[in-house]
Amino acid sequence: MIDGDTLDIRGTRFRLQGVDTPESAQMCGDGSGKNYPCGQRAAFALSDKIGQGNVSCEVIEKDRYGRSVAVCRLGAEDLNRWLVQQGWGMAYRQYSTAYIRQEEEAKAAKRGIWAGPFTPPWEWRNGKRERGEVPPPAAVKSHSRPDIKPAAGSDCRIKGNINRKGDRVYHVPGSRDYDRTAIDPGSGERMFCSEAEARAAGWRAPRN
């Protein structure tokens, strides 16, 4: 799992066609007006949906980043459609009209991100933010890896890192390597809200 609308299956990266989910560092408002990490929540929702199931992807085209744009299915179920139906993704009208009806249903039912205020992902990437939302760190212009830091007010502060050997190791706040660990969602790294969640996703604690 890379993020809410991108999967990595046996080394091949698939961008879900016709869907745009909140970015990894993006915050949205819930029904009570409190901010929460909706990008992470969308990714967790898809990860939980897939579980250990068998996912297959039908490639539609290649995008400008070299990713395979695809419709992915869990058995016979269209995962692209499911994300939009559950309110964790929007119909990406710029590229497809396939899931507009599912978006309208999710919006009417106030599912997922539709429960409160949020910025459409494509506008968020262009710098627009909801009131009170803290912008992500500035883009790194050197050859160092980008670092995704916990958003203000977020409880998801555990860093899921992939080391040079390919081991998935999580670091909790206050641990020896926490501050110097950088998280790069593009390589499959992510933030977790609890150690149990990290372990369930396949990460382990550091070996001291």
Side-chain angles (χ1 to χ4, degrees):
M1 179 71 57
I2 301 300
D3 57 29
D5 53 36
T6 308
L7 301 177
D8 192 313
I9 301 176
R10 293 182 291 277
T12 299
R13 187 165 296 187
F14 297 97
R15 172 66 167 81
L16 300 184
Q17 189 263 353
V19 181
D20 200 10
T21 64
E23 294 296 312
S24 297
Q26 186 171 348
M27 302 290 284
C28 299
D30 63 15
S32 63
K34 295 181 180 179
N35 282 349
Y36 70 97
C38 52
Q40 293 180 26
R41 191 75 62 81
F44 296 159
L46 183 58
S47 178
D48 291 344
K49 172 68 174 177
I50 293 172
Q52 299 299 315
N54 185 27
V55 175
S56 61
C57 295
E58 177 187 354
V59 177
I60 307 299
E61 61 181 348
K62 292 280 187 177
D63 69 9
R64 58 180 176 172
Y65 302 108
R67 295 173 301 187
S68 297
V69 180
V71 173
C72 294
R73 294 181 172 84
L74 178 64
E77 185 174 12
D78 183 333
L79 290 172
N80 306 38
R81 178 180 290 111
W82 181 86
L83 265 174
V84 179
Q85 284 177 329
Q86 297 304 308
W88 294 118
M90 297 182 70
Y92 209 173
R93 289 168 167 80
Q94 180 179 350
Y95 298 101
S96 173
T97 59
Y99 305 118
I100 291 176
R101 181 174 62 82
Q102 286 76 20
E103 179 187 286
E104 292 173 345
E105 291 174 357
K107 182 177 180 180
K110 296 184 177 180
R111 299 188 195 117
I113 57 177
W114 297 103
F118 69 93
T119 301
W122 51 86
E123 292 184 7
W124 192 92
R125 289 191 292 269
N126 288 329
K128 182 177 179 181
R129 303 285 183 269
E130 284 297 318
R131 185 182 300 274
E133 184 180 353
V134 177
V140 177
K141 296 183 179 179
S142 68
H143 291 291
S144 60
R145 296 185 339 178
D147 183 17
I148 298 300
K149 295 180 174 62
S154 170
D155 292 328
C156 303
R157 304 182 64 82
I158 296 174
K159 296 181 178 181
N161 174 254
I162 302 176
N163 65 24
R164 294 179 180 178
K165 296 180 180 179
D167 297 330
R168 300 185 176 212
V169 181
Y170 67 81
H171 303 275
V172 300
S175 62
R176 183 185 63 185
D177 297 321
Y178 184 83
D179 289 339
R180 66 180 182 179
T181 298
I183 298 303
D184 177 14
S187 66
E189 297 175 336
R190 55 187 279 194
M191 303 295 293
F192 294 101
C193 301
S194 69
E195 290 188 68
E197 181 183 61
R199 289 192 293 269
W203 267 257
R204 62 167 175 80
R207 296 192 179 107
N208 296 323

